[in-house]
Amino acid sequence: MQYAEQLLERFLTYVGFDTQSKPSVKHSPSSIGQLKLAEYLAQELRALGLSEVEINSHGILTALLPSNVKHAPTIGLISHLDTSPDCSGKNVRPEVIENYRGGDIALGSGEEDISPVDFPFLHQFIGKTLIVTDGTTLLGADNKAGIAEIMTALFVLRQSEKPRCNLRIAFTPDEEIGLGMQFFPLDKFPCDWAYTIDGGEVGELEYENFNAASATVTIHGCNIHPGTAKNKMVNALTLACDFQQSFPRDETPETTDGKQGFYHLNGFSGNVEKAELHYLIRDFEQQGFEKRKNFITNAVAEFNRSKHLKVPIELTITDSYHNMYDCVKKVPQAIKLADAAMRACGITPLHKPIRGGTDGAWLAEKGIACPNIFTGGYNFHSKKELITLEGMQNVVEVIVKIAELAVKK
Ligand SMILES: [Zn+2]
């Protein structure tokens, strides 16, 4: 393929931008680097000949590659600009390993390595070109691989005379902290359906995700000097521990997988006076999701009844996102087209549920079906993040095929 070199060059350029999102910042974009990358990409999109290239006041970049035929559908492509707050994304120094021979990969000065013993998928990469970190930062393939793949596919499509559909492009900030999409300019993104290019291994196609909510339980105690506390002190921390006992122990993230839902205690803070428990509630099925929320509501009511508390414990539950499948199933061609494009490129589609959320889940709630396609990357949010150039080329080919097959009857 002619474009492998520029695909690699684009990717290496984009990971040079420090675009880590900052959970402590409450506005979007949460870091200036994301805006810098958006501006850089806007220039590149204009140079590629795209129209309607715009960055809104929240750093969301949108653009259009118009179709070259009449009455073509419009498909959206989305990747995110930010990298995870879990691992540094500053001064990323990627290392390119050509013709991987197998065995351990020493990162940078060699303090960290990636071993096929821990990551057996490495065996399938023998002979391929790997891109890894120097062991001090993440790589940023999540999601700059997606951006480089989309940009390169746009280049390929622009060079070609073959009929293609309209492609709407969006690069969004703050996906990792769930802040970017609320400022998404839907009016600049009219499309029949869309894809996020934000998945992992080659072939991945995801269109079902959790229904998600968070819950906060607040418990009020009464503090007295421990020496004279008998029959007077109410210890909020002890009550919080008791309350936690009401949850099933086998419905947690560490005991479930596949399509099983869970309750996740992910925060516990307080003192004798006041304690707070934070939970994440996750379930693929709408009914199961409601059941879980009811379970917590009932557990709080039962706790208040049985403990005869002067100040009852309080509960707030907030929905975070919903399973996109409710929307996607009404647009089956979104899945069929992605499947057909992958098969045409010699890739076997791997349909998987997402045990989390995506920007696509937000779009699905607004009525735009938006499955998630692979980027070819592995070990996201980690110093051991890696990607193969061949996997990235696969994505470019799949995007080009999607645009071409969309206009074939
Ligand atoms: Zn991502």
Side-chain angles (χ1 to χ4, degrees), residues 41-54 61-66 77 150-151 153-158 164 166-171:
L41 292 167
Q43 274 186 3
E44 222 183 309
L45 286 166
R46 285 191 192 104
L48 280 173
L50 270 76
S51 54
E52 299 178 34
V53 179
E54 279 178 56
L61 169 58
T62 47
L64 169 70
L65 177 68
L77 298 170
I150 291 173
M151 296 297 278
L154 293 172
F155 167 83
V156 174
L157 288 163
R158 284 280 297 156
R164 58 162 192 263
N166 298 292
L167 289 177
R168 289 269 170 194
I169 311 302
F171 297 135

Side-chain angles (χ1 to χ4, degrees), residues 17 45 62 74 135-136 144-145 172 177 192 195-196 217 233 241 268 274 288 292 302 309 323 328 330 379 387 397:
F17 286 79
L45 286 166
T62 47
T74 304
T136 64
K144 286 158 184 166
T172 60
I177 58 172
D192 294 284
Y195 301 100
T196 47
V217 175
M233 179 191 278
C241 293
F268 186 163
K274 188 180 169 190
R292 285 182 193 280
E302 177 54 30
L309 297 174
N323 189 344
V328 174
K330 295 176 200 150
N379 299 347
I387 196 162
E397 287 164 29

Side-chain angles (χ1 to χ4, degrees), residues 80 142-143 175-176 198:
H80 60 90
D142 178 15
N143 194 205
E175 188 264 359
E176 300 287 1
D198 193 18

